[in-house]
PDB file of all heavy atoms in Angstrom:
ATOM      1  N   GLY A  11     -72.919 100.691 -18.277  1.00 82.00           N
ATOM      2  CA  GLY A  11     -72.732  99.290 -17.914  1.00 82.00           C
ATOM      3  C   GLY A  11     -74.023  98.545 -17.687  1.00 82.00           C
ATOM      4  O   GLY A  11     -75.118  99.061 -17.929  1.00 82.00           O
ATOM      5  N   ASP A  12     -73.883  97.312 -17.232  1.00 88.00           N
ATOM      6  CA  ASP A  12     -75.011  96.431 -16.955  1.00 88.00           C
ATOM      7  C   ASP A  12     -75.019  96.075 -15.477  1.00 88.00           C
ATOM      8  O   ASP A  12     -73.963  95.787 -14.894  1.00 88.00           O
ATOM      9  CB  ASP A  12     -74.905  95.144 -17.775  1.00 88.00           C
ATOM     10  CG  ASP A  12     -75.020  95.397 -19.265  1.00 88.00           C
ATOM     11  OD1 ASP A  12     -75.959  96.116 -19.667  1.00 88.00           O
ATOM     12  OD2 ASP A  12     -74.174  94.889 -20.031  1.00 88.00           O
ATOM     13  N   SER A  13     -76.211  96.091 -14.888  1.00 88.00           N
ATOM     14  CA  SER A  13     -76.368  95.704 -13.494  1.00 88.00           C
ATOM     15  C   SER A  13     -77.333  94.541 -13.404  1.00 88.00           C
ATOM     16  O   SER A  13     -78.338  94.488 -14.128  1.00 88.00           O
ATOM     17  CB  SER A  13     -76.890  96.876 -12.657  1.00 88.00           C
ATOM     18  OG  SER A  13     -75.923  97.898 -12.560  1.00 88.00           O
ATOM     19  N   TYR A  14     -77.027  93.611 -12.493  1.00 93.00           N
ATOM     20  CA  TYR A  14     -77.877  92.446 -12.251  1.00 93.00           C
ATOM     21  C   TYR A  14     -78.477  92.617 -10.864  1.00 93.00           C
ATOM     22  O   TYR A  14     -77.748  92.764  -9.877  1.00 93.00           O
ATOM     23  CB  TYR A  14     -77.053  91.166 -12.350  1.00 93.00           C
ATOM     24  CG  TYR A  14     -76.462  90.970 -13.732  1.00 93.00           C
ATOM     25  CD1 TYR A  14     -75.281  91.625 -14.099  1.00 93.00           C
ATOM     26  CD2 TYR A  14     -77.106  90.178 -14.675  1.00 93.00           C
ATOM     27  CE1 TYR A  14     -74.753  91.475 -15.382  1.00 93.00           C
ATOM     28  CE2 TYR A  14     -76.578  90.021 -15.962  1.00 93.00           C
ATOM     29  CZ  TYR A  14     -75.406  90.673 -16.299  1.00 93.00           C
ATOM     30  OH  TYR A  14     -74.893  90.536 -17.569  1.00 93.00           O
ATOM     31  N   LEU A  15     -79.795  92.609 -10.785  1.00 93.00           N
ATOM     32  CA  LEU A  15     -80.513  93.043  -9.591  1.00 93.00           C
ATOM     33  C   LEU A  15     -81.331  91.926  -8.975  1.00 93.00           C
ATOM     34  O   LEU A  15     -81.833  91.033  -9.683  1.00 93.00           O
ATOM     35  CB  LEU A  15     -81.442  94.207  -9.955  1.00 93.00           C
ATOM     36  CG  LEU A  15     -80.866  95.292 -10.869  1.00 93.00           C
ATOM     37  CD1 LEU A  15     -81.954  96.228 -11.335  1.00 93.00           C
ATOM     38  CD2 LEU A  15     -79.760  96.047 -10.156  1.00 93.00           C
ATOM     39  N   HIS A  16     -81.510  92.010  -7.652  1.00 96.00           N
ATOM     40  CA  HIS A  16     -82.356  91.049  -6.939  1.00 96.00           C
ATOM     41  C   HIS A  16     -83.037  91.790  -5.791  1.00 96.00           C
ATOM     42  O   HIS A  16     -82.391  92.551  -5.065  1.00 96.00           O
ATOM     43  CB  HIS A  16     -81.514  89.899  -6.400  1.00 96.00           C
ATOM     44  CG  HIS A  16     -82.328  88.725  -5.961  1.00 96.00           C
ATOM     45  ND1 HIS A  16     -82.958  88.674  -4.729  1.00 96.00           N
ATOM     46  CD2 HIS A  16     -82.642  87.559  -6.593  1.00 96.00           C
ATOM     47  CE1 HIS A  16     -83.596  87.522  -4.613  1.00 96.00           C
ATOM     48  NE2 HIS A  16     -83.415  86.822  -5.732  1.00 96.00           N
ATOM     49  N   PRO A  17     -84.340  91.577  -5.593  1.00 94.00           N
ATOM     50  CA  PRO A  17     -85.079  92.364  -4.587  1.00 94.00           C
ATOM     51  C   PRO A  17     -84.690  92.078  -3.147  1.00 94.00           C
ATOM     52  O   PRO A  17     -85.030  92.868  -2.258  1.00 94.00           O
ATOM     53  CB  PRO A  17     -86.542  91.982  -4.859  1.00 94.00           C
ATOM     54  CG  PRO A  17     -86.473  90.655  -5.538  1.00 94.00           C
ATOM     55  CD  PRO A  17     -85.223  90.681  -6.364  1.00 94.00           C
ATOM     56  N   ASP A  18     -83.973  90.993  -2.871  1.00 96.00           N
ATOM     57  CA  ASP A  18     -83.569  90.699  -1.496  1.00 96.00           C
ATOM     58  C   ASP A  18     -82.377  91.550  -1.050  1.00 96.00           C
ATOM     59  O   ASP A  18     -82.061  91.592   0.145  1.00 96.00           O
ATOM     60  CB  ASP A  18     -83.193  89.222  -1.353  1.00 96.00           C
ATOM     61  CG  ASP A  18     -84.406  88.309  -1.348  1.00 96.00           C
ATOM     62  OD1 ASP A  18     -85.545  88.827  -1.308  1.00 96.00           O
ATOM     63  OD2 ASP A  18     -84.223  87.076  -1.403  1.00 96.00           O
ATOM     64  N   VAL A  19     -81.730  92.214  -1.990  1.00 95.00           N
ATOM     65  CA  VAL A  19     -80.536  93.002  -1.678  1.00 95.00           C
ATOM     66  C   VAL A  19     -80.945  94.439  -1.377  1.00 95.00           C
ATOM     67  O   VAL A  19     -81.627  95.073  -2.190  1.00 95.00           O
ATOM     68  CB  VAL A  19     -79.534  92.975  -2.851  1.00 95.00           C
ATOM     69  CG1 VAL A  19     -78.306  93.825  -2.530  1.00 95.00           C
ATOM     70  CG2 VAL A  19     -79.123  91.534  -3.156  1.00 95.00           C
ATOM     71  N   PRO A  20     -80.539  94.991  -0.229  1.00 94.00           N
ATOM     72  CA  PRO A  20     -80.957  96.353   0.140  1.00 94.00           C
ATOM     73  C   PRO A  20     -80.211  97.436  -0.633  1.00 94.00           C
ATOM     74  O   PRO A  20     -79.329  97.162  -1.435  1.00 94.00           O
ATOM     75  CB  PRO A  20     -80.617  96.422   1.633  1.00 94.00           C
ATOM     76  CG  PRO A  20     -79.475  95.469   1.795  1.00 94.00           C
ATOM     77  CD  PRO A  20     -79.728  94.353   0.819  1.00 94.00           C
ATOM     78  N   ILE A  21     -80.579  98.659  -0.360  1.00 90.00           N
ATOM     79  CA  ILE A  21     -80.031  99.913  -0.889  1.00 90.00           C
ATOM     80  C   ILE A  21     -80.378 100.102  -2.357  1.00 90.00           C
ATOM     81  O   ILE A  21     -81.173 100.968  -2.699  1.00 90.00           O
ATOM     82  CB  ILE A  21     -78.520 100.055  -0.645  1.00 90.00           C
ATOM     83  CG1 ILE A  21     -78.248 100.032   0.882  1.00 90.00           C
ATOM     84  CG2 ILE A  21     -78.007 101.377  -1.236  1.00 90.00           C
ATOM     85  CD1 ILE A  21     -76.796 100.251   1.261  1.00 90.00           C
ATOM     86  N   ASN A  22     -79.791  99.323  -3.263  1.00 87.00           N
ATOM     87  CA  ASN A  22     -80.172  99.474  -4.668  1.00 87.00           C
ATOM     88  C   ASN A  22     -80.382  98.157  -5.386  1.00 87.00           C
ATOM     89  O   ASN A  22     -80.659  98.140  -6.591  1.00 87.00           O
ATOM     90  CB  ASN A  22     -79.147 100.328  -5.423  1.00 87.00           C
ATOM     91  CG  ASN A  22     -77.763  99.710  -5.421  1.00 87.00           C
ATOM     92  OD1 ASN A  22     -77.532  98.672  -4.812  1.00 87.00           O
ATOM     93  ND2 ASN A  22     -76.839 100.353  -6.088  1.00 87.00           N
ATOM     94  N   GLY A  23     -80.248  97.046  -4.675  1.00 90.00           N
ATOM     95  CA  GLY A  23     -80.568  95.753  -5.258  1.00 90.00           C
ATOM     96  C   GLY A  23     -79.497  95.138  -6.128  1.00 90.00           C
ATOM     97  O   GLY A  23     -79.710  94.069  -6.708  1.00 90.00           O
ATOM     98  N   VAL A  24     -78.325  95.758  -6.226  1.00 91.00           N
ATOM     99  CA  VAL A  24     -77.322  95.300  -7.187  1.00 91.00           C
ATOM    100  C   VAL A  24     -76.547  94.101  -6.649  1.00 91.00           C
ATOM    101  O   VAL A  24     -75.962  94.143  -5.572  1.00 91.00           O
ATOM    102  CB  VAL A  24     -76.351  96.434  -7.547  1.00 91.00           C
ATOM    103  CG1 VAL A  24     -75.238  95.919  -8.456  1.00 91.00           C
ATOM    104  CG2 VAL A  24     -77.104  97.572  -8.230  1.00 91.00           C
ATOM    105  N   VAL A  25     -76.538  93.039  -7.454  1.00 95.00           N
ATOM    106  CA  VAL A  25     -75.786  91.819  -7.150  1.00 95.00           C
ATOM    107  C   VAL A  25     -74.433  91.852  -7.845  1.00 95.00           C
ATOM    108  O   VAL A  25     -73.413  91.461  -7.278  1.00 95.00           O
ATOM    109  CB  VAL A  25     -76.574  90.577  -7.609  1.00 95.00           C
ATOM    110  CG1 VAL A  25     -75.738  89.303  -7.458  1.00 95.00           C
ATOM    111  CG2 VAL A  25     -77.873  90.455  -6.830  1.00 95.00           C
ATOM    112  N   LYS A  26     -74.436  92.324  -9.083  1.00 94.00           N
ATOM    113  CA  LYS A  26     -73.211  92.394  -9.868  1.00 94.00           C
ATOM    114  C   LYS A  26     -73.336  93.533 -10.860  1.00 94.00           C
ATOM    115  O   LYS A  26     -74.422  93.773 -11.405  1.00 94.00           O
ATOM    116  CB  LYS A  26     -72.962  91.076 -10.612  1.00 94.00           C
ATOM    117  CG  LYS A  26     -71.710  91.054 -11.463  1.00 94.00           C
ATOM    118  CD  LYS A  26     -71.506  89.675 -12.116  1.00 94.00           C
ATOM    119  CE  LYS A  26     -70.254  89.643 -12.971  1.00 94.00           C
ATOM    120  NZ  LYS A  26     -70.024  88.286 -13.549  1.00 94.00           N
ATOM    121  N   SER A  27     -72.230  94.231 -11.115  1.00 89.00           N
ATOM    122  CA  SER A  27     -72.223  95.290 -12.116  1.00 89.00           C
ATOM    123  C   SER A  27     -70.990  95.147 -12.993  1.00 89.00           C
ATOM    124  O   SER A  27     -69.899  94.841 -12.494  1.00 89.00           O
ATOM    125  CB  SER A  27     -72.223  96.681 -11.475  1.00 89.00           C
ATOM    126  OG  SER A  27     -73.475  96.970 -10.888  1.00 89.00           O
ATOM    127  N   VAL A  28     -71.202  95.365 -14.269  1.00 89.00           N
ATOM    128  CA  VAL A  28     -70.096  95.413 -15.220  1.00 89.00           C
ATOM    129  C   VAL A  28     -70.153  96.798 -15.853  1.00 89.00           C
ATOM    130  O   VAL A  28     -71.052  97.091 -16.650  1.00 89.00           O
ATOM    131  CB  VAL A  28     -70.212  94.319 -16.290  1.00 89.00           C
ATOM    132  CG1 VAL A  28     -69.013  94.383 -17.236  1.00 89.00           C
ATOM    133  CG2 VAL A  28     -70.307  92.944 -15.643  1.00 89.00           C
ATOM    134  N   VAL A  29     -69.247  97.673 -15.447  1.00 80.00           N
ATOM    135  CA  VAL A  29     -69.243  99.063 -15.893  1.00 80.00           C
ATOM    136  C   VAL A  29     -67.956  99.314 -16.666  1.00 80.00           C
ATOM    137  O   VAL A  29     -66.863  99.257 -16.092  1.00 80.00           O
ATOM    138  CB  VAL A  29     -69.353 100.034 -14.706  1.00 80.00           C
ATOM    139  CG1 VAL A  29     -69.307 101.474 -15.188  1.00 80.00           C
ATOM    140  CG2 VAL A  29     -70.628  99.773 -13.923  1.00 80.00           C
ATOM    141  N   ASP A  30     -68.112  99.579 -17.962  1.00 75.00           N
ATOM    142  CA  ASP A  30     -66.939  99.698 -18.826  1.00 75.00           C
ATOM    143  C   ASP A  30     -66.092  98.441 -18.638  1.00 75.00           C
ATOM    144  O   ASP A  30     -66.559  97.352 -18.895  1.00 75.00           O
ATOM    145  CB  ASP A  30     -66.163 100.985 -18.534  1.00 75.00           C
ATOM    146  CG  ASP A  30     -66.976 102.236 -18.883  1.00 75.00           C
ATOM    147  OD1 ASP A  30     -67.798 102.155 -19.819  1.00 75.00           O
ATOM    148  OD2 ASP A  30     -66.792 103.262 -18.236  1.00 75.00           O
ATOM    149  N   ASP A  31     -64.869  98.569 -18.155  1.00 76.00           N
ATOM    150  CA  ASP A  31     -64.014  97.388 -17.948  1.00 76.00           C
ATOM    151  C   ASP A  31     -63.952  96.958 -16.492  1.00 76.00           C
ATOM    152  O   ASP A  31     -63.178  96.059 -16.142  1.00 76.00           O
ATOM    153  CB  ASP A  31     -62.593  97.680 -18.453  1.00 76.00           C
ATOM    154  CG  ASP A  31     -62.538  97.909 -19.952  1.00 76.00           C
ATOM    155  OD1 ASP A  31     -63.328  97.267 -20.670  1.00 76.00           O
ATOM    156  OD2 ASP A  31     -61.716  98.734 -20.393  1.00 76.00           O
ATOM    157  N   ASP A  32     -64.747  97.589 -15.636  1.00 83.00           N
ATOM    158  CA  ASP A  32     -64.697  97.288 -14.204  1.00 83.00           C
ATOM    159  C   ASP A  32     -65.855  96.377 -13.801  1.00 83.00           C
ATOM    160  O   ASP A  32     -66.987  96.566 -14.245  1.00 83.00           O
ATOM    161  CB  ASP A  32     -64.764  98.579 -13.389  1.00 83.00           C
ATOM    162  CG  ASP A  32     -63.547  99.466 -13.634  1.00 83.00           C
ATOM    163  OD1 ASP A  32     -62.457  98.912 -13.809  1.00 83.00           O
ATOM    164  OD2 ASP A  32     -63.716 100.702 -13.664  1.00 83.00           O
ATOM    165  N   VAL A  33     -65.541  95.421 -12.942  1.00 89.00           N
ATOM    166  CA  VAL A  33     -66.551  94.480 -12.446  1.00 89.00           C
ATOM    167  C   VAL A  33     -66.614  94.591 -10.934  1.00 89.00           C
ATOM    168  O   VAL A  33     -65.581  94.563 -10.252  1.00 89.00           O
ATOM    169  CB  VAL A  33     -66.213  93.037 -12.845  1.00 89.00           C
ATOM    170  CG1 VAL A  33     -67.237  92.069 -12.259  1.00 89.00           C
ATOM    171  CG2 VAL A  33     -66.157  92.885 -14.360  1.00 89.00           C
ATOM    172  N   THR A  34     -67.813  94.731 -10.397  1.00 90.00           N
ATOM    173  CA  THR A  34     -68.011  94.682  -8.950  1.00 90.00           C
ATOM    174  C   THR A  34     -69.005  93.578  -8.640  1.00 90.00           C
ATOM    175  O   THR A  34     -69.961  93.356  -9.392  1.00 90.00           O
ATOM    176  CB  THR A  34     -68.527  96.019  -8.390  1.00 90.00           C
ATOM    177  OG1 THR A  34     -69.785  96.349  -8.997  1.00 90.00           O
ATOM    178  CG2 THR A  34     -67.528  97.132  -8.639  1.00 90.00           C
ATOM    179  N   GLU A  35     -68.762  92.882  -7.544  1.00 93.00           N
ATOM    180  CA  GLU A  35     -69.631  91.787  -7.137  1.00 93.00           C
ATOM    181  C   GLU A  35     -70.018  91.946  -5.678  1.00 93.00           C
ATOM    182  O   GLU A  35     -69.224  92.432  -4.854  1.00 93.00           O
ATOM    183  CB  GLU A  35     -68.933  90.441  -7.352  1.00 93.00           C
ATOM    184  CG  GLU A  35     -68.660  90.126  -8.816  1.00 93.00           C
ATOM    185  CD  GLU A  35     -68.067  88.742  -9.012  1.00 93.00           C
ATOM    186  OE1 GLU A  35     -67.758  88.070  -7.988  1.00 93.00           O
ATOM    187  OE2 GLU A  35     -67.911  88.323 -10.180  1.00 93.00           O
ATOM    188  N   LEU A  36     -71.222  91.526  -5.358  1.00 94.00           N
ATOM    189  CA  LEU A  36     -71.731  91.604  -3.999  1.00 94.00           C
ATOM    190  C   LEU A  36     -71.016  90.573  -3.131  1.00 94.00           C
ATOM    191  O   LEU A  36     -71.018  89.377  -3.428  1.00 94.00           O
ATOM    192  CB  LEU A  36     -73.243  91.348  -3.997  1.00 94.00           C
ATOM    193  CG  LEU A  36     -73.987  91.532  -2.682  1.00 94.00           C
ATOM    194  CD1 LEU A  36     -73.953  92.987  -2.243  1.00 94.00           C
ATOM    195  CD2 LEU A  36     -75.436  91.062  -2.824  1.00 94.00           C
ATOM    196  N   VAL A  37     -70.394  91.046  -2.066  1.00 93.00           N
ATOM    197  CA  VAL A  37     -69.671  90.183  -1.143  1.00 93.00           C
ATOM    198  C   VAL A  37     -70.529  89.828   0.066  1.00 93.00           C
ATOM    199  O   VAL A  37     -70.501  88.714   0.572  1.00 93.00           O
ATOM    200  CB  VAL A  37     -68.365  90.870  -0.685  1.00 93.00           C
ATOM    201  CG1 VAL A  37     -67.660  90.056   0.397  1.00 93.00           C
ATOM    202  CG2 VAL A  37     -67.436  91.073  -1.880  1.00 93.00           C
ATOM    203  N   ASP A  38     -71.327  90.786   0.525  1.00 94.00           N
ATOM    204  CA  ASP A  38     -72.154  90.570   1.705  1.00 94.00           C
ATOM    205  C   ASP A  38     -73.218  91.650   1.741  1.00 94.00           C
ATOM    206  O   ASP A  38     -73.092  92.704   1.102  1.00 94.00           O
ATOM    207  CB  ASP A  38     -71.295  90.643   2.967  1.00 94.00           C
ATOM    208  CG  ASP A  38     -72.021  90.159   4.222  1.00 94.00           C
ATOM    209  OD1 ASP A  38     -73.068  89.488   4.098  1.00 94.00           O
ATOM    210  OD2 ASP A  38     -71.543  90.466   5.338  1.00 94.00           O
ATOM    211  N   PHE A  39     -74.280  91.418   2.485  1.00 95.00           N
ATOM    212  CA  PHE A  39     -75.292  92.445   2.717  1.00 95.00           C
ATOM    213  C   PHE A  39     -76.070  92.094   3.974  1.00 95.00           C
ATOM    214  O   PHE A  39     -76.039  90.954   4.451  1.00 95.00           O
ATOM    215  CB  PHE A  39     -76.232  92.600   1.510  1.00 95.00           C
ATOM    216  CG  PHE A  39     -77.126  91.413   1.235  1.00 95.00           C
ATOM    217  CD1 PHE A  39     -78.409  91.339   1.772  1.00 95.00           C
ATOM    218  CD2 PHE A  39     -76.691  90.372   0.420  1.00 95.00           C
ATOM    219  CE1 PHE A  39     -79.236  90.268   1.506  1.00 95.00           C
ATOM    220  CE2 PHE A  39     -77.510  89.297   0.145  1.00 95.00           C
ATOM    221  CZ  PHE A  39     -78.785  89.235   0.692  1.00 95.00           C
ATOM    222  N   GLY A  40     -76.755  93.081   4.530  1.00 95.00           N
ATOM    223  CA  GLY A  40     -77.518  92.831   5.736  1.00 95.00           C
ATOM    224  C   GLY A  40     -78.285  94.063   6.166  1.00 95.00           C
ATOM    225  O   GLY A  40     -78.400  95.049   5.423  1.00 95.00           O
ATOM    226  N   PHE A  41     -78.785  93.999   7.401  1.00 97.00           N
ATOM    227  CA  PHE A  41     -79.713  95.027   7.868  1.00 97.00           C
ATOM    228  C   PHE A  41     -79.375  95.535   9.267  1.00 97.00           C
ATOM    229  O   PHE A  41     -80.179  96.213   9.893  1.00 97.00           O
ATOM    230  CB  PHE A  41     -81.135  94.460   7.831  1.00 97.00           C
ATOM    231  CG  PHE A  41     -81.504  93.928   6.474  1.00 97.00           C
ATOM    232  CD1 PHE A  41     -81.262  92.602   6.138  1.00 97.00           C
ATOM    233  CD2 PHE A  41     -82.055  94.771   5.517  1.00 97.00           C
ATOM    234  CE1 PHE A  41     -81.573  92.123   4.870  1.00 97.00           C
ATOM    235  CE2 PHE A  41     -82.363  94.300   4.252  1.00 97.00           C
ATOM    236  CZ  PHE A  41     -82.116  92.975   3.921  1.00 97.00           C
ATOM    237  N   ASN A  42     -78.168  95.218   9.728  1.00 97.00           N
ATOM    238  CA  ASN A  42     -77.744  95.661  11.063  1.00 97.00           C
ATOM    239  C   ASN A  42     -76.387  96.363  10.996  1.00 97.00           C
ATOM    240  O   ASN A  42     -75.588  96.271  11.934  1.00 97.00           O
ATOM    241  CB  ASN A  42     -77.692  94.479  12.027  1.00 97.00           C
ATOM    242  CG  ASN A  42     -76.699  93.403  11.577  1.00 97.00           C
ATOM    243  OD1 ASN A  42     -76.208  93.435  10.437  1.00 97.00           O
ATOM    244  ND2 ASN A  42     -76.396  92.461  12.453  1.00 97.00           N
ATOM    245  N   GLY A  43     -76.140  97.062   9.911  1.00 96.00           N
ATOM    246  CA  GLY A  43     -74.861  97.738   9.739  1.00 96.00           C
ATOM    247  C   GLY A  43     -74.678  98.900  10.699  1.00 96.00           C
ATOM    248  O   GLY A  43     -75.640  99.589  11.051  1.00 96.00           O
TER     249      GLY A  43
END
């Protein structure tokens, strides 16, 4: 699949991924989990 990345996002930087027929989107992120 394809991943769209941004350096402000922690862990792996992924904002959106399209993997085969599945789509995941970033809903929230932070640093006090």
Side-chain angles (χ1 to χ4, degrees):
D12 295 312
S13 292
Y14 298 82
L15 317 170
H16 194 279
D18 285 352
V19 179
I21 300 184
N22 61 357
V24 175
V25 173
K26 180 177 180 177
S27 289
V28 182
V29 178
D30 295 329
D31 295 326
D32 296 324
V33 177
T34 60
E35 295 184 354
L36 186 65
V37 174
D38 191 16
F39 67 93
F41 305 90
N42 61 348

